Amino acid sequence: MNTQSQTVAGQPRPRSQSWGRFAGIVAIYALLGPLVGAVGVTGLFTVYAVGVEIAIGNFDDIARRFVGGMLVGTIVSAILAYAYGIVSAAGVGLVVAFRDRRKGGISWRTSLVAALAFWLLMSLAATAVVPPQGLVQWIGALLAAHVLAAAVCTWIARRIFR
């Protein structure tokens, strides 16, 4: 009798991955996800602010606005990202790690679908605390942060855990 379970197609199911690999995948998402999301959102908002200055013809403060926006913005947004975004990041990492443990391989689709699901949850939570005037920007920023963080963390995890 064959000791490996068979899939529908008759191919052997991949062996379960180690718990160390599972923890490593979750750690990559939980530790790097908030930082990647914060830097990505800060970059988007900084480019937007510089673009507005260029559009109105104010070329004097562009360098100061860009450097200041990236430095100060990254510090502030990283604090917020780790305070609130670590739940989403760890959640996406858990989903990816469970899928890896069950089927083998770190899936782009699983990562991005999980990121979108957590984005929806965080967007619903944001509606309770963010004033209506800034809600659209927050939801857009959350989307950018979740998708970018999931993509970068998946790329890193796939390189480490081949």
Side-chain angles (χ1 to χ4, degrees):
M1 178 174 195
N2 191 356
T3 58
Q4 288 184 333
S5 62
Q6 299 291 317
T7 62
V8 176
Q11 298 296 321
R13 182 173 172 242
R15 288 190 43 208
S16 293
Q17 305 297 330
S18 72
W19 286 107
R21 178 182 169 106
F22 183 93
I25 292 169
V26 174
I28 287 170
Y29 284 84
L31 296 176
L32 291 178
L35 180 63
V36 169
V39 170
V41 168
T42 299
L44 285 173
F45 283 146
T46 301
V47 168
Y48 173 75
V50 169
V52 167
E53 291 298 314
I54 290 171
I56 62 174
N58 185 7
F59 297 99
D60 298 335
D61 290 342
I62 292 174
R64 183 184 59 82
R65 188 172 300 267
F66 184 79
V67 172
M70 284 305 295
L71 289 177
V72 175
T74 298
I75 292 167
V76 171
S77 64
I79 292 168
L80 288 171
Y82 279 103
Y84 299 106
I86 197 161
V87 173
S88 290
V92 172
L94 279 169
V95 170
V96 171
F98 275 121
R99 192 268 182 200
D100 175 63
R101 187 153 178 80
R102 187 169 171 267
K103 293 187 176 181
I106 297 167
S107 168
W108 282 102
R109 182 178 4 176
T110 300
S111 172
L112 293 174
V113 167
L116 290 175
F118 279 99
W119 165 70
L120 283 173
L121 293 173
M122 291 300 289
S123 294
L124 288 173
T127 61
V129 289
V130 176
Q133 300 87 351
L135 188 59
V136 172
Q137 290 86 357
W138 268 94
I139 290 174
L142 285 171
L143 176 62
H146 279 79
V147 171
L148 181 63
V152 169
C153 290
T154 301
W155 183 80
I156 291 170
R158 288 173 65 100
R159 296 302 169 271
I160 292 173
F161 299 108
R162 289 191 177 179

